[in-house]
Amino acid sequence: MSSRDPHVTSFHLNGEKISTKSAPISRLTTVLREEFGLTGTKVGCDAGDCGACTVLVNGKAVCACLIAVGQLADSEVTTIEGLSRTSELFQRLQQSFLHHGAAQCGICTPGMLVAAAALLEQNAAPNESEVMDALGGVLCRCTGYRKIVRAVVDANAKPAPAAQSATHGAVGRRLVRIDGRRRVDGTEIYGADEAPGDSLVLRVIRSPYHRAAFEFADLRAFVNSNPGIHAVFTAKDVPGKNCFGVIPPFADQPVFAEKEARFRGEAVAAVVGEAEAMAEFDPADFIVKWKELPALMDIDSALACDAERVHANRPENVLVRGRVVHGDVDAALARADVVVEDHFETGFIEHAYIEPEAGFARRVGDRIEVQACTQAPYTDRKDIAAILGIAENAVRIIPTAVGGGFGSKLDLSVQPFLAIAAWHLGKPVKMAYSRLESIQSTTKRHPSRIHCKAGATRDGKLLAMDFQGDFNTGAYASWGPTVAHRVPIHASGPYKVPHYRAVTRAIHTNTVPAGAFRGFGVPQGTIAQEQLYDELAERLQMDRLEFRILNALDDQSPTVTGQVLGEGVGIRACLEALRPRWKQARKAATDCNGQASGPLRRGAGVAGMWYGCGNTSLANPSTMRIGLKRDGRIALHQGAVDIGQGSATVVTQICADALGALMDRFDLVSGDTDVTPDCGKTSASRQTFVSGRAAQLAGEQLRKKILQLADACEKASIRFENGKLVILRCKDQRTIALRDMPLDERGYVLSAEATFDPPTSPLDKDGQGVPYAVYGFGAHLAEVEVDIELGTVKLLKLTAAHDVGRAINPTLIEGQIEGGAAQGLGMALMEEFFPGTGENLHDYLIPTIGDMPEVESILIEDPSPVGPLGAKGVGEQAMIPTAPAILNAIHDAIGVRIRRIPATPDRVRAALLAKTAGKRHD
């Protein structure tokens, strides 16, 4: 290959001179990943919006997706792979990221690290402001940025202490993530990072209209007239059921729409071909004729008496109703000394994970293998089996690392398209969603419209609440039933409410399906409930925090479902932990506003939350398998998908302590449905609680078998050494050689398997019963600054107290709290998706590194007797109280209540103008 060839570009890549024949207009990301196999450079948007593809070009951080390879002649390009091999500074930075827990899902980590390396080369000791400026072009949806900032600031300060995993007692310690090294050196495999070299490429044809009839021209002629295209697949090519859904009784979504598309972005066909042909293929040229039809775009139009049904079998366009009733609400409100009533509204919110959906599939004999990013491998397996019309054990799901999920990757995305194509063609097929089609076609947070009324006695005790909520579930069911049933259980908040009525509806429209998003509707309900409680406290002239403390649930008071929780109710402790900072924040805001001469006003707001861990009144099991190998190492088969929250590390910590082994003796076997038992979905804050408990039980069983083999008592300790066990008995020790021991039916010297299913009970017609075995609790204090002229709101500090039961790994819990807080901030102040517009990460705003202030995490440990060593989940809990705390702080600052979120500058200004005019602003 000659550098004089006009189609050849030569440049230095990670210190070596290379040449590429890729077209000069080719994106640098494409060349790095596909020609040179440097997949550490990620693709999140292809528009320069997310920064995941950041590399160094001549020492400067740039977005590789915006660089044409023809621009790089004689340049020096450095990727994360090159920095990892050659730069001592970079290695210190990587270690600092690990130490601080700055990598969660890891998809943004290479971009963050490369941008930080460019900064540190110029400034060895940057302050926080300089770090935020340098990393401002890289988005993260998981961490809340604070640990990233601290990691960069500390990178050159002193060597981060190594994790002491080689000492007993893993639980409660700040151990580094066991998968962390792969995430900071760019070697972790995500959905788009791996596929067989001979893979065909698949593109989906999607509806450009919110509702449309369609018909195809001659598809065979289309394939024959387009060299390189192998096939087109439509609904008639689905071998089994053209239907899937996360809740089987409500499953209603087709792989390919038939005759009519019900939302913009719905799939109607898939085109499969050679990579070069598909790179040139424009879906707009596909032979489909569309007829736009009237669409139901909101709750009101869907509920209109003359509205067409989105689904013929669902009258009034209502998918499902939820209901919880306790006591006599009407009578209680009638005798209450103070009653407040209000309504609140929220819109669609996009998950905006940095990794678009991607994967590949291949047929292996009469089996299908699908490797993709997913939160629910066993659910995927069941649905793919039904779609292909084959047995479940003929389907293998291999989860990749997940670059953010937050609930949306519980639903199928690329999997059915890939499986159908690979099944028919007998060749491997790959695909990766563009950012456009990811936003167009994947689930969102449910828009809500809530009306609620609450009453209290004059001494401040809550007496009653009446809650009505409608939730726009979009064109298909997805998680609509879960939202409709979970919200009424939680809409009281973590307080004693003796008389209660909450009714909800999930309503179909011709919009993108709404599904699971960190809280299953509870954040929307909490925004209403916590603002209403602030209004009650103000009417009663009570301190808003003390009002909540007075009414906080305790161990012996029944919840609104009649459940008495017993041990592990930590909401009062969370609220009381905020007291010192609350007093300081209130005084600071009062002093500031009293002296204000310009447009800035300050306020403080508080909000509480509770959240049931796991499925609502349904079976919710996880199974863990553990095996002792002949080399003295321990295999932990755990199918719990780690989407960034750290479950792989936490589950191993729990199992290690239950077994009495060191963390560094474990080899994880993760996620593959052929080799791991079912650990359920990664959702509903259940993995630490449910899978952690299963891991504890499995570890205890294996320990018992080892002690029986050694004829040792329960108090004996075990050392796992190379090829042997050393059991320290009460009076002596025994060594057991493992090399020649027979293997059991699972292929191990000894093994154990355990299942845990939380104890719950069905709810009756009034929602009474035991919906969850364990609840997590929390309370947030937000301090804000509002510009009354511009309407802008800045979060200055967040103090977050969470009852986690037992802090298995405090660093990982803090990361969940900070990341959840960032999503709560986005929900409160900037995020709203409008179907058909803003389908990118430039127009759809999520918090950047400059938006997140200091977050002080306070970990309350009120153990649950059901959870592993007392632990509870925290993933969803972390974001629930942030938005209402911010909204309450806005009211404290400027005296207006924002009832339609987000509280964008125009809405804040409109509320201020309405207040000035003596009008109510809705």
Side-chain angles (χ1 to χ4, degrees):
M1 184 182 296
S2 169
S3 61
R4 295 179 181 178
D5 187 325
H7 298 295
V8 171
T9 302
S10 297
F11 58 95
H12 287 85
L13 177 59
N14 293 331
E16 297 181 9
K17 187 169 185 178
I18 58 93
S19 297
T20 174
K21 278 192 172 182
S22 295
I25 201 172
S26 299
R27 296 180 191 271
L28 177 56
T29 43
T30 304
V31 174
L32 291 174
R33 292 174 57 84
E34 297 184 10
E35 187 172 345
F36 296 103
L38 298 173
T39 57
T41 301
K42 306 304 179 186
V43 176
C45 65
D46 268 343
D49 295 328
C50 74
C53 63
T54 300
V55 299
L56 300 182
V57 175
N58 299 326
K60 294 184 178 181
V62 300
C63 287
C65 71
L66 298 182
I67 302 294
V69 74
Q71 297 175 277
L72 295 173
D74 300 322
S75 295
E76 176 69 50
V77 176
T78 310
T79 68
I80 186 171
E81 292 90 347
L83 289 168
S84 296
R85 290 196 306 267
T86 62
S87 170
E88 290 185 10
L89 180 153
F90 194 73
Q91 291 161 12
R92 291 195 300 274
L93 179 61
Q94 288 172 313
Q95 188 58 42
S96 188
F97 263 59
L98 292 173
H99 171 68
H100 285 281
Q104 288 190 20
C105 85
I107 194 71
C108 76
T109 303
M112 288 287 186
L113 285 165
V114 172
L119 168 66
L120 293 173
E121 285 289 352
Q122 302 298 319
N123 181 355
N127 59 34
E128 286 200 0
S129 178
E130 290 166 331
V131 171
M132 289 189 283
D133 284 345
L135 274 60
V138 186
L139 295 178
C140 175
R141 193 59 157 163
C142 292
T143 66
Y145 300 103
R146 297 305 303 171
K147 289 189 179 297
I148 293 172
V149 173
R150 289 192 286 272
V152 178
V153 169
D154 290 349
N156 281 326
K158 59 181 178 180
Q164 300 298 312
S165 61
T167 60
H168 282 290
V171 168
R173 297 175 55 230
R174 295 179 177 272
L175 299 184
V176 166
R177 300 178 60 108
I178 57 177
D179 54 1
R181 175 53 59 181
R182 299 193 302 272
R183 301 190 179 205
V184 299
D185 65 15
T187 59
E188 186 67 277
I189 300 298
Y190 296 86
D193 290 344
E194 187 175 77
D198 60 343
S199 295
L200 300 174
V201 174
L202 185 148
R203 294 284 299 276
V204 175
I205 306 301
R206 301 185 182 277
S207 171
Y209 301 107
H210 298 296
R211 182 182 173 218
F214 62 92
E215 59 183 20
F216 302 114
D218 189 335
L219 297 178
R220 181 173 296 180
F222 173 80
V223 172
N224 291 337
S225 63
N226 284 274
I229 289 181
H230 287 226
V232 174
F233 298 105
T234 65
K236 66 181 178 60
D237 300 301
V238 178
K241 292 174 59 179
N242 185 30
C243 181
F244 65 90
V246 288
I247 305 175
F250 296 92
D252 58 1
Q253 187 163 356
V255 178
F256 298 111
E258 301 181 52
K259 297 183 180 179
E260 181 181 310
R262 292 184 172 94
F263 72 95
R264 172 180 163 85
E266 182 165 15
V268 300
V271 180
V272 184
E274 305 288 343
E276 289 188 9
M278 297 309 296
E280 298 297 323
F281 172 67
D282 184 351
D285 296 333
F286 185 68
I287 51 172
V288 58
K289 183 178 180 181
W290 301 98
K291 180 183 179 181
E292 188 175 5
L293 299 173
L296 305 172
M297 295 303 295
D298 55 37
I299 290 172
D300 285 334
S301 60
L303 292 176
C305 58
D306 59 346
E308 289 189 65
R309 293 185 186 181
V310 177
H311 296 272
N313 63 338
R314 290 176 181 158
E316 302 175 4
N317 285 317
V318 175
L319 168 65
V320 70
R321 290 174 167 85
R323 171 183 167 89
V324 172
V325 176
H326 186 83
D328 189 338
V329 172
D330 295 327
L333 287 172
R335 70 174 184 269
D337 295 313
V338 176
V339 175
V340 294
E341 184 174 6
D342 219 327
H343 66 267
F344 303 90
E345 191 171 351
T346 69
F348 282 111
I349 297 180
E350 160 65 17
H351 293 74
Y353 30 72
I354 306 304
E355 178 204 28
E357 296 76 0
F360 75 89
R362 58 186 166 196
R363 184 168 179 169
V364 182
D366 290 329
R367 301 188 78 217
I368 195 77
E369 294 182 355
V370 182
Q371 178 171 307
C373 51
T374 177
Q375 294 179 235
Y378 272 84
T379 303
D380 290 1
R381 186 178 79 154
K382 184 175 183 178
D383 273 345
I384 294 299
I387 289 166
L388 294 184
I390 59 178
E392 287 185 38
N393 62 10
V395 179
R396 181 185 185 186
I397 303 295
I398 307 168
T400 63
V402 179
F406 318 115
S408 189
K409 289 177 183 174
L410 292 166
D411 295 71
L412 290 179
S413 58
V414 300
Q415 297 94 326
F417 307 126
L418 293 168
I420 290 168
W423 187 257
H424 281 296
L425 296 173
K427 297 180 179 181
V429 181
K430 67 179 180 179
M431 74 176 303
Y433 279 4
S434 66
R435 178 57 59 181
L436 171 66
E437 65 182 327
S438 177
I439 293 181
Q440 273 189 348
S441 65
T442 62
T443 61
K444 307 287 177 275
R445 185 180 294 284
H446 284 72
S448 67
R449 189 174 64 188
I450 293 168
H451 180 270
C452 47
K453 182 188 295 188
T457 61
R458 61 173 49 90
D459 60 356
K461 291 184 179 179
L462 279 167
L463 191 60
M465 171 177 270
D466 196 2
F467 179 101
Q468 299 171 32
D470 285 335
F471 293 83
N472 180 353
T473 204
Y476 296 105
S478 184
W479 290 95
T482 300
V483 168
H485 290 135
R486 186 178 274 267
V487 170
I489 296 167
H490 290 82
S492 65
Y495 309 106
K496 292 176 281 189
V497 185
H499 302 277
Y500 180 76
R501 179 171 57 213
V503 293
T504 56
R505 296 182 292 187
I507 296 164
H508 281 301
T509 61
N510 290 117
T511 57
V512 61
F517 190 169
R518 209 166 193 168
F520 289 103
V522 176
Q524 295 96 300
T526 306
I527 283 171
Q529 145 230 312
E530 288 293 321
Q531 290 198 84
L532 200 70
Y533 289 161
D534 252 29
E535 293 183 29
L536 262 181
E538 290 164 11
R539 288 279 303 277
L540 291 162
Q541 297 183 332
M542 285 187 66
D543 179 273
R544 289 166 282 148
L545 177 62
E546 298 303 327
F547 174 80
R548 289 169 169 84
I549 292 172
L550 174 66
N551 289 287
L553 269 175
D554 55 41
D555 293 1
Q556 299 305 315
S557 298
T559 70
V560 292
T561 70
Q563 180 180 2
V564 176
L565 298 176
E567 297 176 65
V569 180
I571 180 58
R572 185 183 299 274
C574 291
L575 292 165
E576 289 175 343
L578 297 181
R579 220 183 231 139
R581 183 64 200 173
W582 172 253
K583 292 178 180 178
Q584 295 171 10
R586 290 292 300 117
K587 183 178 186 304
T590 301
D591 291 347
C592 177
N593 295 340
Q595 301 169 9
S597 57
L600 301 182
R601 301 290 184 272
R602 290 196 176 188
V606 68
M609 61 73 56
W610 65 330
Y611 192 79
C613 299
N615 295 346
T616 307
S617 292
L618 293 171
N620 191 24
S622 281
T623 301
M624 287 282 176
R625 183 185 307 144
I626 186 172
L628 174 63
K629 299 189 285 187
R630 282 174 169 166
D631 62 2
R633 296 190 63 78
I634 304 148
L636 179 59
H637 294 251
Q638 70 95 15
V641 177
D642 190 328
I643 60 173
Q645 81 278 32
S647 62
T649 304
V650 166
V651 164
T652 308
Q653 287 179 260
I654 293 168
C655 190
D657 278 13
L659 177 59
L662 303 179
M663 284 279 288
D664 61 9
R665 301 302 298 176
F666 279 80
D667 299 319
L668 253 62
V669 183
S670 297
D672 185 330
T673 58
D674 269 13
V675 296
T676 58
D678 187 0
C679 280
K681 308 173 186 70
T682 295
S683 67
S685 300
R686 61 176 299 280
Q687 292 296 12
T688 294
F689 167 43
V690 184
S691 294
R693 180 66 166 157
Q696 179 186 359
L697 295 173
E700 290 171 349
Q701 288 182 21
L702 181 58
R703 174 180 170 80
K704 184 176 181 179
K705 288 185 177 183
I706 293 171
L707 295 179
Q708 288 174 341
L709 180 66
D711 192 25
C713 67
E714 292 183 3
K715 294 182 179 180
S717 61
I718 307 168
R719 286 208 312 264
F720 295 82
E721 299 184 358
N722 293 336
K724 64 182 179 182
L725 299 177
V726 178
I727 295 88
L728 304 177
R729 299 187 291 192
C730 296
K731 296 182 179 179
D732 60 7
Q733 71 177 40
R734 180 179 176 185
T735 300
I736 299 176
L738 302 174
R739 299 290 185 189
D740 299 320
M741 290 192 69
L743 302 181
D744 66 12
E745 69 279 5
R746 298 187 180 110
Y748 295 110
V749 175
L750 294 171
S751 64
E753 186 171 286
T755 298
F756 176 67
D757 191 2
T760 63
S761 72
L763 303 183
D764 66 17
K765 64 181 179 61
D766 286 329
Q768 299 300 292
V770 180
Y772 311 103
V774 168
Y775 286 80
F777 299 89
H780 287 189
L781 160 59
E783 299 170 55
V784 304
E785 183 178 78
V786 183
D787 188 317
I788 59 175
E789 292 180 355
L790 300 177
T792 55
V793 180
K794 182 176 180 60
L795 181 60
L796 301 175
K797 182 178 180 179
L798 188 75
T799 307
H802 281 272
D803 169 23
V804 300
R806 177 75 183 277
I808 304 296
N809 189 316
T811 298
L812 298 182
I813 293 173
E814 290 166 357
Q816 287 296 288
I817 292 171
E818 292 170 11
Q823 291 187 358
L825 182 154
M827 186 179 188
L829 299 181
M830 64 187 72
E831 295 190 46
E832 186 169 15
F833 173 70
F834 298 93
T837 62
E839 296 165 332
N840 55 66
L841 293 179
H842 179 77
D843 296 310
Y844 185 85
L845 301 179
I846 67 173
T848 68
I849 199 168
D851 293 312
M852 275 303 293
E854 175 191 356
V855 178
E856 179 184 351
S857 295
I858 303 171
L859 305 186
I860 305 296
E861 295 184 293
D862 195 339
S864 159
V866 184
L869 308 174
K872 308 170 184 178
V874 74
E876 273 145 310
Q877 290 90 315
M879 74 88 59
I880 294 170
T882 305
I886 291 172
L887 294 167
N888 282 336
I890 293 172
H891 182 270
D892 183 55
I894 58 175
V896 300
R897 193 155 296 285
I898 308 300
R899 297 174 177 85
R900 169 71 190 267
I901 69 153
T904 51
D906 60 309
R907 288 175 180 162
V908 173
R909 278 289 297 157
L912 283 166
L913 292 172
K915 177 188 174 185
T916 302
K919 299 177 181 178
R920 174 188 166 99
H921 173 72
D922 292 330

